Amino acid sequence: MNDCIFCKIVNKQIPASIIYEDEDVLVFMDIGPIIKGHALVISKEHHGLVTETPNEILAKLHWVAKRVALAQMNELGADGVNIMQNNGAAAGQEVPHIHIHVIPRYASDGHHWNWNPKKYENIDEMNTLAEKLQKHL
Ligand code: AMP
Ligand code: ZN
């Protein structure tokens, strides 16, 4: 994928602050950190969504994300870590190359996700959706 910005980082065509690399995975600092120390764990191979990424690659991405989280806690003194992954423009994915955000969190960092829980009309509405999902699992 020639015009993919993360493929360009993988191919060293554009610079990034790389903190880890192996045969399948690259980790670099997010240039627009939610909290300073925010890193991105990406596959070297171009895949778009989580649903399009081979399971072995996904597993490796998550092992590495765990190591980044440990580094943020042990070295940067993070009190917690958000690990998140957006899929599709509707979900806020801006770069269409799979990546896991690993974001260090501090008790006093003042950041709040806009997490607005909704309510189902009734229990049947929830159970109808549950049945639809269950058929595929
Ligand atoms: P998403 O919205 O999940 O696709 O996240 C894309 C992330 O990539 C954003 O947090 C951006 O700040 C980050 N980003 C975009 N371009 C670069 C770049 N050249 N180097 C580092 N991070 C980048
Ligand atoms: Zn790519």
Side-chain angles (χ1 to χ4, degrees):
M1 243 218 167
N2 289 340
D3 56 356
C4 172
I5 192 162
F6 285 179
C7 283
K8 285 183 178 157
I9 290 175
V10 169
N11 296 325
K12 313 282 161 56
Q13 292 169 289
I14 62 169
S17 181
I18 293 170
I19 58 174
Y20 176 82
E21 180 167 8
D22 65 30
E23 63 273 22
D24 299 312
V25 179
L26 190 73
V27 186
F28 52 93
M29 304 301 277
D30 192 304
I31 206 161
I34 300 292
I35 303 290
K36 290 175 183 173
H38 180 170
L40 298 174
V41 179
I42 77 168
S43 66
K44 284 186 156 179
E45 216 169 61
H46 182 92
H47 301 287
L49 311 181
V50 67
T51 46
E52 299 164 348
T53 305
N55 288 344
E56 318 77 63
I57 300 284
L58 275 181
K60 279 203 80 172
L61 292 175
H62 284 87
W63 291 342
V64 174
K66 176 182 173 182
R67 291 180 62 187
V68 174
L70 281 167
Q72 290 171 339
M73 291 192 278
N74 294 334
E75 184 64 30
L76 304 185
D79 301 310
V81 177
N82 285 122
I83 294 182
M84 49 187 296
Q85 202 266 310
N86 302 323
N87 294 280
Q93 187 178 16
E94 289 177 0
V95 179
H97 177 133
I98 187 159
H99 52 281
I100 299 178
H101 295 263
V102 188
I103 305 168
R105 298 301 308 274
Y106 299 89
S108 58
D109 65 32
H111 179 76
H112 297 286
W113 300 105
N114 185 18
W115 191 281
N116 255 336
K118 311 282 187 306
K119 282 192 164 56
Y120 288 105
E121 290 300 319
N122 51 50
I123 200 78
D124 287 343
E125 186 188 14
M126 184 177 78
N127 287 339
T128 301
L129 294 178
E131 280 167 26
K132 286 184 177 181
L133 293 176
Q134 198 178 29
K135 280 195 291 199
H136 296 268
L137 300 175

